[in-house]
Amino acid sequence: MELCVNGLTIEYTSNGSVVRPVSSFNLRATSGSVVVLLGPNGCGKTSLLSCLAGILTPKQGRMRFGDVDIATLRGKALTSYRRRTVGIAFQAFNLIPSLTALENVMVPLRNGGMKRRQARARASGLLWQVGLGERPHARPGAMSSGQQQRVAIARALGFDPPMFLADEPTAHLDYLQVDGVMRLLRTLANDDRLVVIATHDQRVLQLADQIIELVPTLGHESPPRERTTIAAGSMRA
C-alpha cells in the first residue's frame, strides 16, 4: 500500500498566536519501508503522526493511504481506521498500571469486538513476537522501560495494521535497550506494512529507508524546512 501526503498544513492557536508547525508538507512512501521523521521538539513530528493516525485534523492538505482518504473520515469509518488500519505506539507508552502485559495487549482487541479466548491467544502471540512471551503476567511497574515499550508495540499491532506509527520510541530507553527495540521496529516493516517513526535520536537513522528532516524556523507562521534523503546502510533484521 502507498501513503501519499500532499500539501499538508497543521495549524492551531496558542496564547493568542497562530502556530503552524507544519506547512505544505509532502510525503510518499510504500509498504515494506521505514520512514523516519527526524527533528527536535516543536518541529511538528508528533503533529504529523497524529494526523496520520486520524487523531488530529489538518488545516488543509490530503492524506491518502491505499484507497482511504484519512482527513475525510468521520464516525464509524474513522473508528474503524484507527482500530484496524493504523497502530500507534505513544512516547509515554500509556499502559494501564493495574493490568498485566497480556491484559494491556488484550484491551483494544476486546474493545474491537474480539472474543476473550481469541483476544487472549492473539495477545499472547504478540508478546512472543516482541520478545516478552515469558512475562505475560508482569505489570508495567515491574518492567523496564524497554519492556514497557515492547508491550506498547504489541498492543498497537493487535489487528495487524498495515501502517504502524512510533512516537520517540527510544526516548525512555537506556543504551542497551535501544538496539533491541530498533531491531524489533525494523522487522515490522514488510510487504504488508509501512512503519513511520518520529524521533530526535540520530541512532534511529540506521533503520530508515527514507528520512524526512524537519527543521523548525523562527516565527509562528514560518513553515519548517523539509529535506528528504535515502538512508545508506539501513539496519536489517
Side-chain angles (χ1 to χ4, degrees):
M1 295 178 70
E2 185 176 56
L3 171 67
C4 295
V5 180
N6 300 109
L8 193 74
T9 296
I10 302 170
E11 185 177 286
Y12 55 89
T13 301
S14 178
N15 297 323
S17 299
V18 174
V19 180
R20 184 177 289 179
V22 176
S23 181
S24 301
F25 178 81
N26 299 303
L27 170 65
R28 185 181 296 268
T30 58
S31 298
S33 62
V34 174
V35 177
V36 171
L37 305 176
L38 178 69
N41 292 338
C43 68
K45 304 188 304 296
T46 298
S47 295
L48 280 170
L49 287 193
S50 296
C51 286
L52 293 177
I55 297 171
L56 181 66
T57 301
K59 180 177 178 62
Q60 63 184 37
R62 298 192 67 186
M63 301 175 292
R64 181 173 290 278
F65 184 55
D67 59 357
V68 177
D69 192 345
I70 302 169
T72 65
L73 297 175
R74 299 292 185 273
K76 291 182 179 180
L78 179 58
T79 298
S80 177
Y81 170 80
R82 290 172 176 169
R83 181 171 288 157
R84 298 184 179 272
T85 302
V86 62
I88 182 167
F90 297 95
Q91 180 177 348
F93 309 144
N94 293 350
L95 301 180
I96 301 172
S98 61
L99 300 183
T100 66
L102 184 70
E103 291 166 341
N104 266 285
V105 179
M106 287 177 63
V107 166
L109 298 173
R110 295 286 290 147
N111 289 341
M114 191 177 291
K115 293 182 178 180
R116 179 174 295 277
R117 181 175 295 181
Q118 183 182 2
R120 189 176 186 86
R122 173 65 175 159
S124 178
L126 286 167
L127 287 177
W128 280 104
Q129 181 179 338
V130 301
L132 287 175
E134 296 180 350
R135 300 206 66 193
H137 303 301
R139 286 181 167 78
M143 295 180 173
S144 68
S145 295
Q147 290 169 337
Q148 291 183 59
Q149 180 66 275
R150 289 171 181 269
V151 175
I153 291 171
R155 181 182 58 189
L157 294 174
F159 286 102
D160 198 21
M163 180 160 59
F164 178 83
L165 312 175
D167 189 11
E168 296 285 3
T170 62
H172 302 293
L173 309 184
D174 63 32
Y175 181 81
L176 294 177
Q177 295 168 337
V178 167
D179 185 69
V181 168
M182 288 200 305
R183 289 186 179 279
L184 171 60
L185 291 171
R186 180 67 248 185
T187 66
L188 299 183
N190 54 44
D191 291 342
D192 299 316
R193 184 181 296 121
L194 167 68
V195 174
V196 182
I197 302 171
T199 187
H200 68 277
D201 190 343
Q202 296 278 340
R203 293 172 296 181
V204 179
L205 298 186
Q206 61 186 299
L207 296 178
D209 298 298
Q210 185 176 5
I211 302 167
I212 311 295
E213 185 176 1
L214 302 173
V215 183
T217 57
L218 297 177
H220 289 298
E221 296 192 14
S222 299
R225 184 174 73 252
E226 295 98 21
R227 179 167 60 86
T228 305
T229 60
I230 303 299
S234 298
M235 175 187 287
R236 301 291 175 178

